[in-house]
Amino acid sequence: MKKIICLVESLGSGGAERQMMGLAVLLKQEGYDVEVWYYAPNHFYCKNLENEGVKFRYILEAQNKYKRIGVIRNELLKAKPDTVITYLDTPCIIGCITKITGGKFNLIVSERNTTQHLGLKDRIKFFLYKFADHIVPNSYSQARFIEQNYPNLKDKIKCITNFVDTDKFKPCENKQANDKVRILTVARIMPQKNVINYIQAIKRVATKGYDFEVCWYGNSISEEYYEECKQEITKQGVTDIFKFYPATTNIIEEYHKSDIFCLPSIYEGFPNVVCEAMCCGLPIVCSNVCDNPDIVTSENGILFNPKNCDDMADKINQLLNMPECKKQTISINNRNRAITIFSKKRFTNSYIDII
């Protein structure tokens, strides 16, 4: 039985962590000996792994950033896995360094976002990628970026977009009508997610007299930015409309309670939450960036310019004004499209091919 170690920064509530947790479960179901290793003290998905019988290991000593590479390298060499799969920048760098310095495993590094500019850490990472066996971007936009900027890595690239468990994420059978339209956003509270512009756009929508609410589920990355967002909500006078809620493991229930899904990010990889919302049949309104135009078309949602608050507000208005029969058509289109392109089988088999 092949031994696989999945290395990620934490088991927090983010999209990369969710996909890593899901990948580990799917590979275990296919008969592999799988462990998930992490070193940052965020244990959000531990219970999910425990329920599925997947081993996980919190490497406390690697919390120290000065010792991190050495600690994890030594543990990987002792474990002698057949394959190591890394998600997010630092684990990918650690995987490459371990491979260079004695690791005898098949190394699969994965890109979970789209590079906006090449900083020093990015340049180091892409240099080290020549020692990886496979590079797996989860978006076609990032695959194109790597091919254009690092053509020597082209033969290592295999794009594997995210999966969604379409058996779990599905439309609510007995959905109750809300007293007011509920717009759902699921994302970490951080500048990439464009929260300030979104709040300002919601203010513009509110002036049209619609009876609606915005429910944002996700934890904050920076307390300072979170406070800035809360101040903006107060400044715009939308405290009764725009609410933040902590990340939840029962996010399906929130999809089922909602009428529209919105993701206002400035950039994305291949966003899990848009895929999940589609599986649940929600009309989508989101940024016209990165892979979003490949996922959301005129048949299942609306795209906007995330840097233009007026455009964002106009597109949200379009969905609020949309006849119910049109929304029902979009719901059916979303579900059908999701089953086709987000399947677990496609995702799992793509990884098995390179394992």
Side-chain angles (χ1 to χ4, degrees):
M1 182 188 299
K2 285 190 175 181
K3 182 175 183 178
I4 299 172
I5 291 175
C6 297
L7 177 63
V8 68
E9 290 179 352
S10 79
L11 284 174
S13 60
E17 295 86 348
R18 192 179 329 178
Q19 288 289 309
M20 177 63 94
M21 180 267 296
L23 174 61
V25 170
L26 292 169
L27 290 175
K28 181 181 186 299
Q29 291 172 355
E30 293 294 326
Y32 292 95
D33 178 13
V34 185
E35 290 186 30
V36 178
W37 289 10
Y38 66 108
Y39 52 83
N42 195 326
H43 317 288
F44 188 82
Y45 282 118
C46 288
K47 192 66 177 176
N48 298 71
L49 291 171
E50 186 178 316
N51 290 341
E52 296 291 344
V54 176
K55 293 175 282 187
F56 55 92
R57 181 181 175 190
Y58 173 45
I59 306 177
L60 178 63
E61 300 85 353
Q63 268 196 57
N64 186 319
K65 65 180 180 180
Y66 300 108
K67 297 180 180 180
R68 183 170 298 152
I69 292 175
V71 167
I72 296 177
R73 172 195 173 273
N74 292 340
E75 292 302 312
L76 284 172
L77 293 178
K78 283 194 291 185
K80 297 180 180 179
D82 298 292
T83 294
V84 173
I85 303 173
T86 59
Y87 274 25
L88 302 176
D89 289 353
T90 299
C92 289
I93 289 171
I94 293 171
C96 290
I97 291 174
T98 305
K99 189 74 185 277
I100 296 167
T101 58
K104 303 298 181 184
F105 46 78
N106 173 32
L107 176 60
I108 302 170
V109 296
S110 182
E111 289 285 290
R112 312 306 301 175
N113 219 326
T114 54
T115 304
Q116 300 302 296
H117 65 276
L118 282 166
L120 178 59
K121 186 174 183 179
D122 297 300
R123 295 179 189 278
I124 292 170
K125 178 185 68 172
F126 287 120
F127 169 78
L128 290 171
Y129 275 2
K130 67 182 180 180
F131 300 103
D133 296 287
H134 305 279
I135 303 166
V136 178
N138 76 330
S139 68
Y140 294 105
S141 51
Q142 183 67 354
R144 291 190 292 268
F145 175 88
I146 299 172
E147 289 177 5
Q148 291 166 7
N149 289 274
Y150 297 91
N152 61 308
L153 299 177
K154 184 175 181 179
D155 292 342
K156 295 177 181 283
I157 296 171
K158 181 182 179 70
C159 185
I160 304 176
T161 55
N162 294 344
F163 85 97
V164 180
D165 188 338
T166 55
D167 295 327
K168 291 182 179 178
F169 289 89
K170 56 186 178 181
C172 181
E173 292 182 0
N174 300 302
K175 186 169 183 174
Q176 302 296 313
N178 293 316
D179 293 334
K180 57 179 69 176
V181 176
R182 189 176 197 258
I183 301 174
L184 175 68
T185 298
V186 182
R188 287 172 171 161
I189 302 168
M190 57 193 296
Q192 176 191 341
K193 304 303 180 182
N194 200 25
V195 190
I196 300 296
N197 277 351
Y198 187 32
I199 294 167
Q200 293 173 1
I202 291 302
K203 170 62 176 180
R204 288 163 169 76
V205 176
T207 61
K208 302 294 184 181
Y210 297 110
D211 193 13
F212 73 104
E213 62 180 344
V214 175
C215 301
W216 183 303
Y217 281 81
N219 297 330
S220 61
I221 299 298
S222 159
E223 190 62 32
E224 182 180 353
Y225 184 70
Y226 180 53
E227 287 302 318
E228 183 183 347
C229 293
K230 290 200 296 183
Q231 289 171 16
E232 188 66 28
I233 290 171
T234 301
K235 177 183 174 183
Q236 297 296 332
V238 292
T239 52
D240 292 336
I241 297 173
F242 200 113
K243 306 285 187 181
F244 287 124
Y245 298 92
T248 173
T249 54
N250 191 20
I251 196 61
I252 298 174
E253 182 178 328
E254 303 309 323
Y255 288 122
H256 285 172
K257 288 194 285 188
S258 301
D259 302 293
I260 292 170
F261 185 84
C262 180
L263 188 66
S265 311
I266 297 170
Y267 64 94
E268 280 290 343
F270 194 91
N272 290 311
V273 291
V274 170
C275 306
E276 292 169 355
M278 285 174 60
C279 288
C280 293
L282 290 179
I284 310 295
V285 56
C286 67
S287 308
N288 189 7
V289 296
C290 305
D291 275 29
N292 284 356
D294 297 319
I295 306 170
V296 178
T297 70
S298 60
E299 299 297 315
N300 65 313
I302 301 173
L303 298 169
F304 55 71
N305 178 352
K307 297 180 180 180
N308 186 323
C309 294
D310 289 329
D311 187 50
M312 194 187 306
D314 287 345
K315 298 304 167 43
I316 294 171
N317 283 336
Q318 283 185 36
L319 272 182
L320 290 172
N321 274 320
M322 188 174 288
E324 195 59 36
C325 60
K326 175 64 174 174
K327 289 180 184 176
Q328 289 174 0
T329 300
I330 285 179
S331 177
I332 294 168
N333 290 342
N334 264 338
R335 178 66 182 170
N336 291 339
R337 184 167 171 77
I339 290 171
T340 302
I341 62 178
F342 306 142
S343 77
K344 291 187 292 184
K345 184 176 179 60
R346 171 200 57 80
F347 179 80
T348 310
N349 288 345
S350 294
Y351 269 100
I352 288 173
D353 284 345
I354 55 178
I355 290 170

